[in-house]
């Protein structure tokens, strides 16, 4: 009897399973038929029209391939914009882990443009080396800035970045003793909370210090300058990822708070003009530098991208004619390889000289015209690992600023979604659910560790080339690999500035 009941149960279970299977099969077949009809009748996509249903896998694999390549297929030095070796260095430094590697370098040293540092026959002993001294910027301003660190955080606006990202950067900057540039989105309470040194950027829309017509509001500027921790002002003339094009913040990222800080309507795209409406030539630019310095009493510099050196020869020559009092206190050279929250692809790909060429050229020009001691040089553009930063200091930079390196220290996985509101790591999104992933208490330490790790290793390179601190490195300490496979001293390469 018991046996018969068990057989009945088993038969029933089998029957139900079979029915469920047939049902699922039926639903699947119906879905395939519906997709087939949709694909065959739609007109926008040739592959799906010609190969209904199967054609959809191409889209799926194209999308997923972007991620799979990163994890499984791309070699350590292969990906763009940053390869795994570069990102891993940041991650290890940010975690405060040892950044020594074993067995041998995976870097191909034959690639044209690779910098090779010239090791000294008798490097200094550990007790003969020092750390980088603070450097004075804007000696003529009422409140000059003694900048403690060679390595600092480049402009990224509150808007492009999320609130927890700004909080972590700001606390990390305070912890490491480096400056934080606000980017063009104005000053928020999250920049200020930690007490870190701040460089306030005045973008082409002058967010935070604007009149409705886009001109400078002096009252608002005075209010910003009254914060003691705002140390300098940077006029953004151009940025490497989009020279000639203003900032772009999609409407989805313009929250009411961000709109209020910027002085614009919420929910609508925040588009800044391609240049300052009140700066159309060299004299208007120098007038603006002087005006902002007089109002704020603080050093004033500018950020730009080099297309050719000629406009800068004209600028520096005009400064000499008018007198050095009108000179900007610093100049940030952003390479054409720079990043952004959003930019048209042709500008990102093709416009503006890479920093590897721009920086030595502008340094030489400043030397030639006699302004090298007056205008401090800041360099940015994929300078995210110690070798990049050391190269820039040797090439002439007084300071290096970095944006995406600090994003990696916050946990960025290079998902390339900064222009949407869907960043999976919470760094460039205002979606509270995604922001939960970015825990400020943990990340600010990583930001600080990364900065300290870079500085330590740049000092190591400086000692290896035979000087006691990074700013003593010169171009002769770097050789650049040429197309015939040999290397040439960097100081012999950028002699002709006229082309
Ligand atoms: C998400 C994001 C937002 C940015 N926002 C600004 C900005 O508001 N103003 C600016 O001058 N540059 C901005 N930049 C450019 C960086 O400041 C920097 O110049 C450029 O990315 C090169 O540095 P990197 O290679 O270290 O990233 C932004 C970059 C990123 C990635």
């Amino acid at each position: 009897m018991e046996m018969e009941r068990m057989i009945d149960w088993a038969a029933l279970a089998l029957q139900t399973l079979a029915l469920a299977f047939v049902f699922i099969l039926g639903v699947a077949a119906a879905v395939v038929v519906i997709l087939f009809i949709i694909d065959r009748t739609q007109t926008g996509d040739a592959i799906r029209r010609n190969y209904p249903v199967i054609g959809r896998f191409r889209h799926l694999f194209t999308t997923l391939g972007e991620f799979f390549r990163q994890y499984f297929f791309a070699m350590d030095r292969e990906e763009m914009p940053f390869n795994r070796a570069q990102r891993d260095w940041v991650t290890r430094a940010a975690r405060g882990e040892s950044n020594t590697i074993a067995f041998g370098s995976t870097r191909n040293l034959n690639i044209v443009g690779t910098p090779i540092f010239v090791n000294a026959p008798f490097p200094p002993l550990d007790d003969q080396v020092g750390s980088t001294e603070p450097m004075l910027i804007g000696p003529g301003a009422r409140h000059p800035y003694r900048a403690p660190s060679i390595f600092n955080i480049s402009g990224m606006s509150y808007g492009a970045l999320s609130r927890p990202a700004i909080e972590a950067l700001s606390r990390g900057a305070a912890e490491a003793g480096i400056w934080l540039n606000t980017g063009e989105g104005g000053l928020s309470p999250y920049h200020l909370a930690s007490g870190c040194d701040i460089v306030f950027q005045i973008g082409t829309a002058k967010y935070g210090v604007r009149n409705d017509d886009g001109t400078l509001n002096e009252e608002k500027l005075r209010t910003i300058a009254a914060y003691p921790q705002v140390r300098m002002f940077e006029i953004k003339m151009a940025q490497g990822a989009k020279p000639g094009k203003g900032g772009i913040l999609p409407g989805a990222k313009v929250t009411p708070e961000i709109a209020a800080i910027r002085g614009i309507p919420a929910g609508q795209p925040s588009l800044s003009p391609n240049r300052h409406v009140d700066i159309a030539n060299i004299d208007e630019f120098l007038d603006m530098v002087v005006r902002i310095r007089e109002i704020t009493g603080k050093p004033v510099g500018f950020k730009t991208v080099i297309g050719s050196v000629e406009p800068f020869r004209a600028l520096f020559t005009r400064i000499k004619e008018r007198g050095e009092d009108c000179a900007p206190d610093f100049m940030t050279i952003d390479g054409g390889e720079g990043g952004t929250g959003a930019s048209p692809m042709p500008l990102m790909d093709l416009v503006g000289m890479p920093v590897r060429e721009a920086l030595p050229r502008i340094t030489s020009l400043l030397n030639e015209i006699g302004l090298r001691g007056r205008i401090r040089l800041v360099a940015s553009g994929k300078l995210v690992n110690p070798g990049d930063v050391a190269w820039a200091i040797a090439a002439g930079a007084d300071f290096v600023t970095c944006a995406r390196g600090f994003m990696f220290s916050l946990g960025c996985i290079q998902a390339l979604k900064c222009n949407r509101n869907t960043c999976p790591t919470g760094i460039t999104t205002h979606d509270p659910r995604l922001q939960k992933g970015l825990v400020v208490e943990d990340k600010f330490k990583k930001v600080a560790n990364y900065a300290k790790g870079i500085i330590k290793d740049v000092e190591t390179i400086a000692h290896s080339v035979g000087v006691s601190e990074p700013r003593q490195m010169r171009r002769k300490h770097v050789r650049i690999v040429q197309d015939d496979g040999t290397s040439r001293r960097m100081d012999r390469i950028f002699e002709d500035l006229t082309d």
Side-chain angles (χ1 to χ4, degrees):
M1 194 63 179
E2 192 62 25
M3 191 67 171
E4 267 173 30
R5 203 175 304 141
M6 275 179 69
I7 289 170
D8 283 352
W9 271 109
L12 192 67
L14 269 177
Q15 233 172 15
T16 316
L17 262 178
L19 271 175
F21 183 70
V22 170
F23 178 73
I24 291 169
L25 220 62
V27 171
V31 169
V32 169
V33 170
I34 292 169
L35 289 179
F36 186 94
I37 295 168
I38 292 175
D39 286 355
R40 187 61 107 196
T41 50
Q42 58 83 36
T43 51
D45 185 329
I47 293 292
R48 275 169 52 210
R49 201 167 157 84
N50 287 344
Y51 305 93
V53 187
I54 286 179
R56 285 173 180 262
F57 286 98
R58 185 179 176 278
H59 296 275
L60 183 71
F61 291 148
T62 307
T63 311
L64 291 181
E66 195 180 312
F67 303 103
F68 284 148
R69 271 196 300 279
Q70 184 179 123
Y71 297 116
F72 302 123
F73 304 114
M75 304 293 283
D76 269 5
R77 304 273 178 178
E78 235 176 39
E79 287 165 278
M80 290 293 269
F82 295 92
N83 61 45
R84 192 182 298 138
Q86 291 170 305
R87 299 196 310 265
D88 282 356
W89 191 92
V90 179
T91 307
R92 284 196 303 272
R95 287 192 190 135
E97 289 170 3
S98 151
N99 243 326
T100 55
I101 55 169
F103 200 63
S105 173
T106 60
R107 184 167 190 153
N108 181 351
L109 297 176
N110 300 320
I111 294 173
V112 176
T114 303
I116 295 182
F117 291 88
V118 180
N119 59 300
F122 306 105
L125 295 171
D126 286 350
D127 59 1
Q128 295 172 326
V129 298
S131 295
T132 324
E133 290 294 309
M135 182 179 254
L136 196 72
I137 309 179
R142 293 196 298 283
H143 308 283
Y145 176 42
R146 214 173 181 76
S149 171
I150 47 168
F151 189 63
N152 300 281
I153 305 177
S154 193
M156 290 178 282
S157 65
Y158 175 43
L161 297 194
S162 65
R163 171 183 165 169
I166 298 285
E167 284 173 335
L169 288 175
S170 164
R171 285 182 64 183
E175 171 90 7
I178 63 179
W179 83 57
L180 166 68
N181 188 312
T182 59
E184 67 165 350
L187 186 65
S188 75
Y190 320 117
H191 292 104
L192 290 165
S194 73
C196 71
D197 288 352
I198 289 174
V199 177
F200 182 91
Q201 186 178 78
I202 304 177
T204 54
K206 300 191 180 65
Y207 292 131
V209 290
R210 66 186 258 116
N211 293 313
D212 286 344
D213 62 358
T215 55
L216 185 67
N217 182 311
E218 297 194 354
E219 241 356 271
K220 290 182 184 169
L221 184 64
R222 262 187 210 100
T223 311
I224 301 278
Y227 289 104
Q229 69 192 91
V230 174
R231 304 288 187 169
M232 303 201 288
F233 288 83
E234 180 181 69
I235 305 172
K236 177 180 162 185
M237 300 295 285
Q239 156 183 3
K242 45 187 168 192
K245 182 94 187 124
I248 306 167
L249 190 67
K253 293 179 77 173
V254 184
T255 64
E257 187 193 34
I258 286 162
I261 291 170
R262 292 182 178 222
I264 53 164
Q268 291 174 27
S270 171
L271 306 173
S272 33
N274 297 343
R275 69 163 166 81
H276 290 265
V277 291
D278 41 10
I279 307 179
N281 56 51
I282 287 176
D283 277 309
E284 285 180 5
F285 168 68
L286 294 175
D287 291 344
M288 184 64 87
V289 170
V290 173
R291 185 175 161 206
I292 295 173
R293 193 162 43 221
E294 273 171 13
I295 294 169
T296 63
K298 299 190 174 173
V300 178
F302 70 111
K303 174 168 179 171
T304 193
V305 186
I306 314 301
S308 84
V309 294
E310 288 318 310
F312 297 92
R313 180 180 289 283
L315 170 68
F316 300 152
T317 307
R318 185 70 187 125
I319 291 171
K320 277 297 201 186
E321 285 165 9
R322 279 180 57 161
E324 289 186 17
D325 283 354
C326 74
D329 298 303
F330 67 93
M331 169 177 184
T332 305
I333 301 174
D334 198 23
E337 65 276 69
T340 177
S343 164
M345 189 167 157
L347 295 189
M348 188 138 22
D349 280 353
L350 296 168
V351 183
M353 204 182 269
V355 73
R356 302 269 170 181
E357 182 176 351
L359 175 61
R361 283 186 187 279
I362 293 297
T363 311
S364 296
L365 189 64
L366 282 169
N367 276 329
E368 183 193 315
I369 297 187
L371 282 172
R372 182 66 194 88
R374 173 68 184 90
I375 302 176
R376 300 296 189 212
L377 271 181
V378 184
S380 59
K382 292 178 89 167
L383 306 173
V384 301
N385 285 170
D388 310 318
V389 177
W391 168 86
I393 300 289
D398 299 303
F399 302 93
V400 167
T401 55
C402 178
R404 286 168 292 177
F406 281 101
M407 290 173 74
F408 290 134
S409 77
L410 289 172
C412 169
I413 58 164
Q414 197 165 269
L416 311 180
K417 291 188 191 304
C418 319
N419 59 340
R420 300 182 216 155
N421 203 20
T422 55
C423 169
T425 55
I427 299 172
T428 62
T429 173
H430 304 298
D431 180 338
R433 186 183 71 80
L434 294 168
Q435 285 184 0
K436 282 209 180 93
L438 202 168
V439 180
V440 176
E441 205 53 48
D442 172 80
K443 298 295 184 206
F444 91 87
K445 291 181 204 139
K446 294 190 165 152
V447 169
N449 283 343
Y450 169 52
K452 289 180 193 165
I454 285 273
I455 293 164
K456 180 171 160 285
D457 272 12
V458 172
E459 287 173 352
T460 304
I461 295 174
H463 306 158
S464 175
V465 304
V467 297
S468 69
E469 61 108 349
R471 287 207 186 99
Q472 289 175 12
M473 285 191 287
R474 296 289 174 268
R475 288 191 210 171
K476 66 176 182 190
H477 293 122
V478 185
R479 300 180 66 83
I480 305 290
V481 174
Q482 305 296 297
D483 50 12
D484 64 0
T486 65
S487 63
R488 275 186 77 200
R489 278 169 57 153
M490 184 161 56
D491 55 342
R492 303 263 162 83
I493 296 177
F494 293 99
E495 282 164 350
D496 179 13
L497 295 169
T498 53
D499 61 348

